[in-house]
């Protein structure tokens, strides 16, 4: 495929799904990751897309709100993951929930029973209380980060380190057997690592596009987590459940 047709294909994918990844495009178009990154840089220069770590999203969506762009990307898959994960929660559980977009969807599907939630996202707290007045919800205080719509920083981690939870639900920017679970922000990583450390059970929520993706920091190895909840698109990633020690569970 010549460069013009290749870039047209990329634009078509961005317009259709809202987000594309370098890894997926490289596999689909049978070219190197470097070639795809050059294509994305050119398309961004032309004002047709906005590059993000590991891929790109629609230009007009990002200008309105980058957080909304992440919410809308692969929304159907995130919905399936959230519903599956919600079934893991029991009455009187204490939960850590970090500020990833899949967890915001999860917040609207948690069971209508009494449980406690500790989160660094006011959006997640509001969504839980909107649906379930029985739930006790605590928001961790810290420096507010608009990009993540969450409180981050040292004070957040210090608060987490004083709490013991039954389950934590954590998002991921990338997952691989070799590098474990990765995220794309150091501040986000420190919060996630603290939640995993202080939980009896650690559950990672990640749609299939996150498999094989890079990140800036590992928050957990495969040995340090209990489950990875993903969607049925996992079957197209080239990985098997055995690659992740049988910890992958697919939501239908």
């Amino acid at each position: 495929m010549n460069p013009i047709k290749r870039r047209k294909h990329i634009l078509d994918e961005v317009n259709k799904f809202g987000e594309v990844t370098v890894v997926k495009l490289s596999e689909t178009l049978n070219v190197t990751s470097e070639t795809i990154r050059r294509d994305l840089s050119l398309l961004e220069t032309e004002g047709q897309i906005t590059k993000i770590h590991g891929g790109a999203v629609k230009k007009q969506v990002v200008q309105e709100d980058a957080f909304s762009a992440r919410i809308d990307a692969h929304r159907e898959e995130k919905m399936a993951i959230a519903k599956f994960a919600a079934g893991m929660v029991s009455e009187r559980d204490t939960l850590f929930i970090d500020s990833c977009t899949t967890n915001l969807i999860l917040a609207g599907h948690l069971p209508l029973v009494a449980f406690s939630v500790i989160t660094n996202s006011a959006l997640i707290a509001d969504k839980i209380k909107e649906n379930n007045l029985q739930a006790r919800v605590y928001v961790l205080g810290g420096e507010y980060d608009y990009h993540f719509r969450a409180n981050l920083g040292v004070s957040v981690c210090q608060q987490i380190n004083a709490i013991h939870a039954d389950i934590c639900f954590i998002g991921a920017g990338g997952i691989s057997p070799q590098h474990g679970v990765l995220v794309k922000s150091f501040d986000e990583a420190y919060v996630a690592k603290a939640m995993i450390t202080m939980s009896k059970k650690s559950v990672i929520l990640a749609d299939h596009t996150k498999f094989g993706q890079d990140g800036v920091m590992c928050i957990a190895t495969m040995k340090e987590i209990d489950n990875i909840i993903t969607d049925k698109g996992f079957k197209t990633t080239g990985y098997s459940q055995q690659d992740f020690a049988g910890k992958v569970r697919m939501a239908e």
Side-chain angles (χ1 to χ4, degrees):
M1 183 181 295
N2 66 48
I4 294 175
K5 289 184 178 179
R6 189 174 63 240
R7 288 191 283 273
K8 181 181 184 303
H9 174 86
I10 293 171
L11 280 176
D12 289 343
E13 292 292 291
V14 170
N15 290 328
K16 181 178 179 180
F17 297 108
E19 179 181 10
V20 293
T21 67
V22 171
V23 171
K24 186 68 174 178
L25 289 171
S26 177
E27 292 174 351
T28 302
L29 298 173
N30 195 28
V31 294
T32 66
S33 297
E34 288 72 22
T35 296
I36 295 299
R37 290 191 182 95
R38 286 195 294 271
D39 287 338
L40 295 180
S41 294
L42 179 60
L43 291 171
E44 183 176 51
T45 300
E46 293 173 349
Q48 301 194 67
I49 63 166
T50 293
K51 289 175 63 180
I52 60 173
H53 186 88
V57 294
K58 286 183 179 180
K59 180 71 174 180
Q60 63 270 29
V61 173
V62 174
Q63 288 175 335
E64 292 170 6
D65 190 339
F67 186 82
S68 296
R70 295 196 301 275
I71 281 277
D72 290 337
H74 308 289
R75 192 177 185 92
E76 184 177 336
E77 290 88 344
K78 291 176 181 177
M79 187 74 71
I81 292 166
K83 290 179 179 178
F84 189 100
M88 304 175 74
V89 177
S90 302
E91 190 167 13
R92 295 188 175 84
D93 276 347
T94 297
L95 315 174
F96 279 129
I97 301 180
D98 82 349
S99 57
C100 79
T101 55
T102 305
N103 275 338
L104 181 55
I105 297 173
L106 167 66
H109 292 279
L110 291 169
L112 301 179
V113 297
F115 52 79
S116 297
V117 172
I118 300 95
T119 181
N120 62 326
S121 166
L123 291 177
I124 287 174
D126 191 61
K127 178 61 68 174
I128 293 171
K129 293 298 285 189
E130 177 185 319
N131 294 302
N132 183 3
L133 294 178
Q134 297 182 75
R136 303 187 70 179
V137 184
Y138 304 86
V139 180
L140 299 159
E143 182 179 0
Y144 182 70
D145 187 303
Y146 181 73
H147 179 74
F148 291 105
R149 301 295 200 277
N151 298 328
L152 300 172
V154 174
S155 63
V156 173
C157 295
Q158 289 174 336
Q159 293 164 69
I160 293 169
N161 290 335
I163 302 167
H164 295 270
D166 296 296
I167 309 175
C168 66
F169 293 105
I170 306 294
I175 304 176
S176 71
Q178 299 82 11
H179 301 117
V181 182
L182 306 160
V183 295
K184 298 177 181 180
S185 157
F186 289 113
D187 287 336
E188 184 187 26
Y190 296 135
V191 170
K193 284 174 71 70
M195 288 182 174
I196 290 170
T197 298
M198 298 305 294
S199 299
K200 294 178 184 176
K201 185 173 185 177
S202 301
V203 180
I204 306 299
L205 307 186
D207 70 73
H208 70 277
T209 65
K210 303 298 174 59
F211 288 85
Q213 286 291 313
D214 292 327
V216 299
M217 186 172 178
C218 173
I219 60 172
T221 65
M222 288 301 109
K223 291 182 180 179
E224 293 171 318
I225 61 172
D226 295 284
N227 293 119
I228 302 170
I229 311 302
T230 189
D231 59 273
K232 58 187 178 182
F234 175 77
K235 298 173 184 176
T236 69
T237 64
Y239 291 111
S240 69
Q241 290 176 306
Q242 287 69 37
D243 291 326
F244 299 92
K247 295 182 179 182
V248 171
R249 302 176 70 179
M250 282 180 283
E252 295 296 330

